[in-house]
Amino acid sequence: MSAVGEWSRRVWYLLNRRRFEASLRQEMEEHRARMGDPVRFGNTLRLREDAGDVWGWRWLDQLTRDLRLAVRTLRRSPGFAIAAITSLAVGFALTASTVAVLNAYVLRSLPFPQADRLYHVMYAPPGPWEPGGMSALDWRTVADVVEHPITAAGRTYYLTDAGYGQSVRALAGGQGLIAGLGVRAIAGRVLEPSDFISGAEHVAMIGHALWRDRYGSDPAIVGRQLRAEPESGGAPESFQIVGVLPADFYFGRDSTARVDLLTPLFSPTRTYMVRLREGVPPAYAEQRLTQAARTVATGLTPDWTGVRLESAHERYVGQLRPVLAGITVAAGLVLVVVCANVAVLMVLRSMRRQTEIAVRAALGAERRHIARMLVTEGALLCLTALGGGLLLTRLLLGILASVIETELGRPAPGGTASIAVDGTVLSIVGAAGLVIALALPFLPLLSPWQRRLADALRRSGGAATDGRTLRHLRSGLIALEVAGTLMLFVGCGLLLRSAARMVNTDFGFDADRLVRGQVVLRGGDYGGDPAGFFRFYEQFRDRFSAAANAPVVFSSWPPFFDLPTQSIEIDGRVGQGVQGGTIEVGPGYFPAMGIPLRAGREFTAADVSSAPVAIVSESLARRLWPDGQALGRQLRSVLQTQGGSTPGPWRTVIGIARDVRQEYTDPNLADMYSPWAPASMSRFGNFYVRSDRPSTVLLADARAAAAALDAHAVVNPLRPVAGLNRQLAGTAFLTSMLTGFAAIAGFLAVLGIYGVTAYAVQQRQREIAIRMALGARASRVVALFLKQGALVLGAGLALGLLGARAATRVLEHQLYGVRPFDPVTLLAASLLLAAAGALATWWPARRGSRANPVVSLKEG
Amino acid sequence: MLILRVLSAEPLHGYAIAQRISVLSKEELSVEEGSLYPALQKLLLKGWVKAAATVSDTGRSVRTYRLTPAGRKQLEIERAEYRRVSTAIAAVMDAL
């Protein structure tokens, strides 16, 4: 007979059990009645059970019975149940949330098929210099390692098919991009090899967002013509839409880099991404690529380090790894503290239940029965908490996923929705939950069975003493809690100190009320002439300044981002330049940014067209002219590019400005300022204004000023300059997370210490009474408990310090101005925890010492 | 096998099965209730018999068991197996 049939009958039996059992009872009764000798028939209940067992559901009966008993017992002590379930659920929720974030960023691969074989190609270390001729590299010669070169070039278009053009992000991609990224079409088709033959009709795939927002997700878009005007000017181009890209397709820095139009690439272009063949080690591919690059490269320097590959996933999440690791470790510690705390509660509870257990044993329950009861109870508790915790996580992530993305400064590779409880999260957290659910309930069983029973029976009704094993177990758990909490306190303290240092860091300029804006022009409107942009910016600045009643200044580079460096050399020492940051700023920049001038004067409008001038930072002035005579001297910047260097004009120093820090760890404070010039303008203009007005009002003013000059000019929303400070924001995020975690752990640890001491005091009430009756003072009794508490606390602190030493390494990259093993932080965290622990011991001990000895002795 | 055999003639209820086996074996074999009912449950589980509710002569409602086609097949298998083994045993016994 087939197993399926057997199982279906089993399930059928389970569903119709009552009927089956009733008819079995009836036929047995009939049998017994007919036999005429009822005694010979035996125990009908036993017979019925034996017959029913054949169906194989006995374990289910037992489980139901055990669960019912467990639910009933837990309901009798709701305080314990609620405390244990809530704290465990919160612990699970924290862990699950962090694992979900970790999963979305680090564990999941990028949303491309076999994304682990996608690599970025770097032809030289990051910097301005890169060997030339790379677009001529023939990828067929390295086909043994590279499966597909992923070549792309971005362009901006304006759609002209309906009224004023909407700007769209177009990407021209090679054939390798389609295959290498596994591009799919959700309607129509992907680009095919025939589309890449030059002279073929222009075709394009349309991005999901553009398709949805502009064309209402109309499937009839496939086959339609789309007219678009290149941003740089020139004749409008026409594309035939052949397919629609999926919603999660992106190409660029992060997953928000949506592609609106994907077109075939015809011009030779450098390839910055490849898909390696299966099983090819990146180091070997680097070797092969370096060889291939050498054959076509122009302007190679002798110290060229060769081609390097970086995993696409690593480039995406590499920087976030330390933050994520920090939060995950912290959440793990909270879970450990929570578990230790629940274990303490369980052990204390099992002590209080000794009499009940002894009575059960006396009534014939075997040891394994009682073990099963306790384990079922504990498992029920943990699994309820696990379920609740996961539900809580779902709710939390639903609300917080986008906040987390903003705080981490990078959207999740798979989109916001990928920060969620998925199979991986479920299996990781579920496995941890199961281990805890199985391990926690066994703790109370560790005490020697025989002794406990005998003890309990001997003192039936009264409080029993606890064995040494249990006492040690309790102390160990408390020490573990203290250790975990201390580690969190230390981590939190280190970050708080770093954040404080960051806040107190003087950047050399004043970010208060300073906002940054960007105005974007259409290149085509100005015939690609930078001087045209410049004229617009000047007029825009004057209009907007008047409207906002505050100076508006332009500059080529924002604060909090490392300045591009060039070699800066002085007259008489050509070729021996020092590396310095270079930035072009408009007139009025220094007062507007709050950068004091140490000597000389500011740029004026006249400097734009007069003989070239420059302002240098104090550090640069000191390095170039140690004699202190910088004003009036000559210097120039030299831009190093492939195959040589392009020196700028000689400039006369007209002023010395205070040093400005671009980043917290800015290694180079030598900066050269030059006046903004028509020749170097682009269609993106970055301006700054300091004003008390709300940014919406300012934005309206800026838009009005821009619209009066050029109907096509777009002013992007204004952002506070302080908000550009990602390092501080990241530290603040980590600090707030860790502070929350540390607070939970601290609360639980104090609660645990309090509970254990209160229990010990209650146990030893009789002993306390005798001591006091014999003349001991209350303070002596309190001291007794404090001494014992101090031992456990001390052990926990020592363990915690060792743990902190190892764990704070995770934070190393997030710290600023503080070393991971900072004695002040360690001391402060230990003292705080010790004080809290001492208080939690002192309180119940003092209450115990105040009880009336006569009453205690009578009751005992 | 014995239960299947007595059920192959007609559907019976539990007591009748025990009676029938006892009668047919000339009271040499008696099936204990302790093994009869688990065995019946097992046959039900295997799908070799089906149970139907009927009213007995004493007015109680009891289940009578009926052989299914699968049960009939199983009976044939077991009967063949029994014959094989008993012939073999007989051969050994007669040889000595």
Side-chain angles (χ1 to χ4, degrees):
Chain A
M1 205 64 236
S2 73
V4 180
E6 207 175 302
W7 266 105
S8 64
R9 274 188 292 279
R10 273 206 178 135
V11 174
W12 177 251
Y13 173 82
L14 187 65
L15 296 177
N16 297 285
R17 248 179 112 164
R18 248 167 239 270
R19 239 182 51 215
F20 270 88
E21 277 169 3
S23 44
L24 186 66
R25 197 171 60 237
Q26 278 175 348
E27 64 187 305
M28 280 192 176
E29 268 164 24
E30 166 82 5
H31 195 137
R32 197 161 70 148
R34 289 202 182 197
M35 265 168 62
D37 184 3
V39 180
R40 241 190 60 210
F41 191 81
N43 183 339
T44 38
L45 181 67
R46 183 70 184 263
L47 280 176
R48 281 214 309 270
E49 275 186 356
D50 283 351
D53 279 353
V54 171
W55 295 96
W57 291 116
R58 191 176 179 155
W59 59 271
L60 192 70
D61 288 346
Q62 270 176 1
L63 187 66
T64 328
R65 234 180 355 245
D66 288 345
L67 280 179
R68 205 174 298 150
L69 179 65
V71 170
R72 225 182 284 145
T73 330
L74 287 178
R75 264 164 80 179
R76 258 208 333 256
S77 45
F80 163 77
I82 289 173
I85 292 179
T86 318
S87 57
L88 268 178
V90 168
F92 281 130
L94 282 181
T95 318
S97 307
T98 42
V99 171
V101 174
L102 194 70
N103 177 44
Y105 282 90
V106 180
L107 303 181
R108 267 174 173 232
S109 52
L110 298 182
F112 301 104
Q114 282 114 51
D116 55 319
R117 288 196 271 137
L118 295 175
Y119 283 85
H120 286 277
V121 184
M122 293 175 288
Y123 296 97
W129 184 85
E130 224 176 52
M134 284 302 140
S135 52
L137 200 147
D138 185 358
W139 289 93
R140 281 169 297 184
T141 61
V142 285
D144 56 323
V145 289
V146 173
E147 189 175 3
H148 298 292
I150 297 167
T151 318
R155 283 179 92 177
T156 304
Y157 282 94
Y158 294 102
L159 293 184
T160 55
D161 58 350
Y164 168 59
Q166 175 186 355
S167 99
V168 296
R169 246 182 68 103
L171 189 74
Q175 271 192 62
L177 182 137
I178 306 294
L181 295 183
V183 177
R184 291 177 303 115
I186 55 167
R189 61 168 177 86
V190 296
L191 300 180
E192 287 170 353
S194 62
D195 299 329
F196 290 87
I197 300 165
S198 60
E201 194 198 1
H202 274 40
V203 294
M205 290 181 76
I206 186 169
H208 190 270
L210 181 65
W211 180 54
R212 183 191 58 207
D213 298 340
R214 195 175 165 108
Y215 301 101
S217 301
D218 180 10
I221 186 84
V222 175
R224 283 241 300 263
Q225 292 284 330
L226 205 87
R227 278 176 69 77
E229 189 180 294
E231 185 282 319
S232 51
E237 295 170 30
S238 195
F239 300 97
Q240 194 199 352
I241 303 293
V242 294
V244 180
L245 290 165
D248 63 351
F249 182 76
Y250 76 91
F251 188 84
R253 188 176 172 273
D254 59 46
S255 61
T256 54
R258 299 292 170 201
V259 175
D260 293 322
L261 280 181
L262 180 62
T263 61
L265 175 73
F266 295 107
S267 53
T269 305
R270 272 172 195 241
T271 300
Y272 286 107
M273 200 183 202
V274 292
R275 168 179 289 278
L276 293 187
R277 285 197 180 278
E278 184 135 34
V280 171
Y284 175 67
E286 281 177 349
Q287 257 179 46
R288 296 276 297 113
L289 285 174
T290 305
Q291 284 166 12
R294 210 178 274 283
T295 60
V296 292
T298 55
L300 272 190
T301 55
D303 57 348
W304 182 54
T305 48
V307 177
R308 289 277 166 269
L309 294 178
E310 185 185 16
S311 140
H313 193 204
E314 187 56 32
R315 176 173 287 190
Y316 199 113
V317 302
Q319 284 184 321
L320 300 177
R321 221 176 271 270
V323 180
L324 294 177
I327 294 177
T328 311
V329 168
L333 282 175
V334 173
L335 190 60
V336 168
V337 171
V338 165
C339 287
N341 200 56
V342 172
V344 168
L345 285 180
M346 280 186 163
V347 171
L348 290 186
R349 186 155 175 276
S350 81
M351 301 305 307
R352 297 217 171 92
R353 285 174 66 188
Q354 272 186 342
T355 322
E356 175 209 329
I357 288 171
V359 169
R360 281 181 193 274
L363 285 178
E366 284 168 41
R367 185 168 188 190
R368 64 190 170 93
H369 290 143
I370 291 182
R372 206 173 66 202
M373 181 184 88
L374 292 177
V375 168
T376 313
E377 228 178 271
L380 179 73
L381 213 69
C382 292
L383 293 179
T384 311
L386 182 61
L390 286 173
L391 264 174
L392 190 63
T393 310
R394 270 195 67 145
L395 282 176
L396 274 180
L397 289 181
I399 304 165
L400 291 180
S402 57
V403 179
I404 292 169
E405 282 184 313
T406 319
E407 294 295 350
L408 286 175
R410 211 142 224 230
T416 311
S418 69
I419 307 181
V421 180
D422 68 352
T424 319
V425 177
L426 216 55
S427 51
I428 293 176
V429 180
L434 279 183
V435 169
I436 291 167
L438 290 177
L440 274 189
F442 277 101
L443 286 177
L445 296 176
L446 287 177
S447 74
W449 170 252
Q450 299 296 342
R451 253 200 59 190
R452 207 165 71 175
L453 259 189
D455 271 358
L457 283 177
R458 210 180 299 136
R459 306 164 156 252
S460 62
T465 56
D466 39 352
R468 200 193 309 170
T469 324
L470 275 192
R471 219 164 45 227
H472 284 176
L473 180 64
R474 262 180 359 229
S475 306
L477 286 169
I478 292 292
L480 186 67
E481 273 192 70
V482 170
T485 309
L486 181 66
M487 285 163 76
L488 285 167
F489 273 24
V490 168
C492 173
L494 287 173
L495 282 169
L496 279 173
R497 268 172 74 88
S498 284
R501 294 224 171 183
M502 281 187 170
V503 170
N504 290 332
T505 297
D506 185 0
F507 273 83
F509 70 94
D510 183 9
D512 182 39
R513 292 175 295 126
L514 194 64
V515 292
R516 176 194 186 210
Q518 187 180 54
V519 53
V520 185
L521 303 173
R522 289 175 65 165
D525 295 345
Y526 295 83
D529 176 20
F533 298 138
F534 184 75
R535 274 193 301 279
F536 171 87
Y537 295 145
E538 276 194 317
Q539 287 167 3
F540 170 76
R541 177 198 62 194
D542 296 341
R543 275 174 180 272
F544 181 32
S545 260
N549 196 23
V552 173
V553 292
F554 277 78
S555 88
S556 65
W557 202 257
F560 300 115
F561 291 89
D562 210 8
L563 285 180
T565 60
Q566 295 184 14
S567 174
I568 294 166
E569 52 188 33
I570 58 173
D571 201 3
R573 266 190 293 156
V574 170
Q576 302 171 355
V578 300
Q579 287 294 313
T582 54
I583 174 170
E584 290 185 15
V585 302
Y589 180 78
F590 294 91
M593 298 294 281
I595 305 172
L597 282 182
R598 296 295 192 223
R601 66 170 177 86
E602 239 258 274
F603 292 133
T604 62
D607 291 326
V608 174
S609 47
S610 70
V613 290
I615 292 175
V616 293
S617 70
E618 289 174 289
S619 290
L620 183 61
R622 255 198 313 277
R623 282 193 63 185
L624 293 176
W625 298 284
D627 59 2
Q629 303 295 311
L631 286 183
R633 308 287 281 265
Q634 300 267 307
L635 84 176
R636 70 178 181 185
S637 60
V638 182
L639 180 67
Q640 253 124 10
T641 50
Q642 49 192 55
S645 50
T646 323
W650 286 107
R651 297 177 182 277
T652 310
V653 176
I654 58 162
I656 299 171
R658 199 186 150 189
D659 283 343
V660 169
R661 219 180 246 274
Q662 288 288 327
E663 290 181 309
Y664 285 103
T665 45
D666 192 342
N668 189 354
L669 297 178
D671 298 326
M672 184 187 96
Y673 301 85
S674 51
W676 66 336
S680 54
M681 288 296 123
S682 81
R683 69 191 192 91
F684 299 96
N686 295 315
F687 60 88
Y688 301 85
V689 59
R690 191 190 306 276
S691 170
D692 285 323
R693 297 187 188 179
S695 67
T696 46
V697 175
L698 282 177
L699 182 61
D701 286 343
R703 286 193 168 151
L709 297 164
D710 178 351
H712 291 166
V714 175
V715 180
N716 289 330
L718 307 176
R719 291 176 54 186
V721 167
L724 297 176
N725 193 344
R726 294 267 14 129
Q727 275 175 297
L728 181 59
T731 305
F733 175 59
L734 201 58
T735 310
S736 59
M737 296 285 279
L738 243 63
T739 309
F741 288 7
I744 294 173
F747 175 71
L748 289 178
V750 166
L751 210 65
I753 294 172
Y754 177 87
V756 166
T757 316
Y759 176 74
V761 169
Q762 189 198 328
Q763 285 257 298
R764 295 170 64 180
Q765 199 66 66
R766 220 179 133 84
E767 179 200 328
I768 296 171
I770 294 172
R771 279 174 191 269
M772 294 189 68
L774 290 179
R777 266 195 261 150
S779 59
R780 293 277 306 172
V781 173
V782 173
L784 187 76
F785 283 99
L786 278 180
K787 210 172 77 188
Q788 278 174 357
L791 217 64
V792 177
L793 204 60
L797 289 177
L799 192 67
L801 285 179
L802 283 178
R805 170 129 222 195
T808 46
R809 264 189 216 142
V810 174
L811 292 175
E812 209 160 4
H813 297 281
Q814 301 303 312
L815 296 181
Y816 169 70
V818 189
R819 290 227 318 273
F821 206 72
D822 177 45
V824 179
T825 312
L826 291 179
L827 196 68
S830 308
L831 283 179
L832 181 66
L833 197 54
L839 199 67
T841 316
W842 175 79
W843 183 258
R846 188 173 135 87
R847 216 177 36 195
S849 72
R850 283 188 166 180
N852 188 341
V854 180
V855 176
S856 307
L857 281 174
K858 231 192 247 167
E859 282 180 351
Chain B
M1 180 179 77
L2 293 178
I3 299 174
L4 290 175
R5 174 69 192 89
V6 297
L7 286 179
S8 70
E10 56 177 321
L12 292 169
H13 52 76
Y15 176 70
I17 295 172
Q19 278 308 102
R20 190 63 60 88
I21 290 176
S22 161
V23 168
L24 287 178
S25 67
K26 309 203 168 54
E27 302 201 2
E28 280 299 321
L29 298 174
S30 81
V31 183
E32 294 282 332
E33 311 78 50
S35 44
L36 172 66
Y37 286 97
L40 277 173
Q41 304 300 313
K42 181 140 194 209
L43 296 179
L44 276 173
L45 174 64
K46 292 281 183 190
W48 293 332
V49 301
K50 264 197 150 61
T54 53
V55 180
S56 77
D57 330 340
T58 54
R60 289 177 212 264
S61 80
V62 292
R63 283 193 290 192
T64 56
Y65 299 88
R66 174 200 308 277
L67 216 54
T68 62
R72 217 165 277 283
K73 213 186 285 168
Q74 181 65 22
L75 176 61
E76 286 315 311
I77 294 171
E78 290 197 11
R79 185 180 291 195
E81 177 70 13
Y82 166 72
R83 284 210 183 110
R84 207 173 54 80
V85 172
S86 65
T87 328
I89 292 172
V92 172
M93 295 305 282
D94 293 348
L96 296 172

